[in-house]
Amino acid sequence: MNTLKLRLHQLCLAYAEERIRTAKSAISASRESANDDTKSSAGDKYETSREMMQQDIARNTIQLAEAERLKSFLLRMQPGKAFTAVESGSLVYTDQGIFYIAISAGQVEFEGQNYLLVSAASPIGAKLISQKIGNRIEFNGRSYLIKEIQ
């Protein structure tokens, strides 16, 4: 079993869980603020303020749902699985960098090496999906040779 893939998978889970915590905290803060707001002599100021807080709650609720969807997706993945072609859960070594196909979380440095955490739906992830060792893809004017898939 590839412990590097398992650790990268744990980083992705931690990323999703942090997004969940952040969204829940923002929703809670907006609700508290809305409940603490009292009607002022400014008239419409109160209604405008409450509407803005409701919009914050709605926006953060959407972000919470997305973060929970990411976590659910990650929990269904099988990071210990070996691959012969690129798919979600693959660790892909190219001549231009190393990609972990899971969720779009950007570049991370782990144990002195840079990894790009990308989803299969991202532009480069979509190009990598179904590719095999020795294949080349073109992305943003650069050529990527797939050297290894784990």
Side-chain angles (χ1 to χ4, degrees):
M1 187 174 305
N2 188 327
T3 58
L4 173 60
K5 270 186 14 178
L6 291 175
R7 288 185 279 179
L8 289 172
H9 189 76
Q10 288 300 317
L11 282 175
C12 289
L13 274 170
Y15 173 84
E17 288 169 355
E18 179 59 29
R19 286 188 57 188
I20 289 169
R21 274 191 300 279
T22 300
K24 283 181 176 179
S25 176
I27 290 167
S28 178
S30 291
R31 283 190 177 138
E32 282 180 30
S33 185
N35 291 337
D36 291 345
D37 204 7
T38 59
K39 198 159 195 139
S40 69
S41 61
D44 288 340
K45 180 180 174 188
Y46 171 75
E47 290 303 321
T48 302
S49 176
R50 285 191 63 82
E51 177 58 29
M52 289 175 63
M53 288 175 213
Q54 282 304 116
Q55 288 176 7
D56 282 347
I57 290 169
R59 183 176 46 257
N60 286 307
T61 300
I62 291 168
Q63 290 176 353
L64 174 61
E66 174 63 16
E68 287 174 338
R69 186 190 66 74
L70 289 176
K71 183 178 178 184
S72 176
F73 170 76
L74 289 166
L75 291 173
R76 288 190 312 269
M77 283 179 61
Q78 299 174 339
K81 182 179 173 186
F83 299 96
T84 56
V86 179
E87 57 185 274
S88 288
S90 298
L91 186 59
V92 184
Y93 292 81
T94 74
D95 60 344
Q96 301 289 328
I98 306 169
F99 299 85
Y100 180 55
I101 311 297
I103 62 171
S104 292
Q107 183 173 313
V108 297
E109 183 180 336
F110 186 68
E111 296 181 348
Q113 179 68 50
N114 288 325
Y115 299 89
L116 287 163
L117 309 178
V118 300
S119 77
S122 69
I124 192 149
K127 292 251 184 193
L128 288 167
I129 290 296
S130 300
Q131 298 295 324
K132 296 184 179 204
I133 295 171
N135 288 4
R136 281 193 178 275
I137 64 161
E138 297 291 325
F139 182 73
N140 282 347
R142 292 175 73 180
S143 176
Y144 294 77
L145 171 66
I146 298 171
K147 297 171 20 177
E148 184 180 347
I149 302 169
Q150 297 180 358

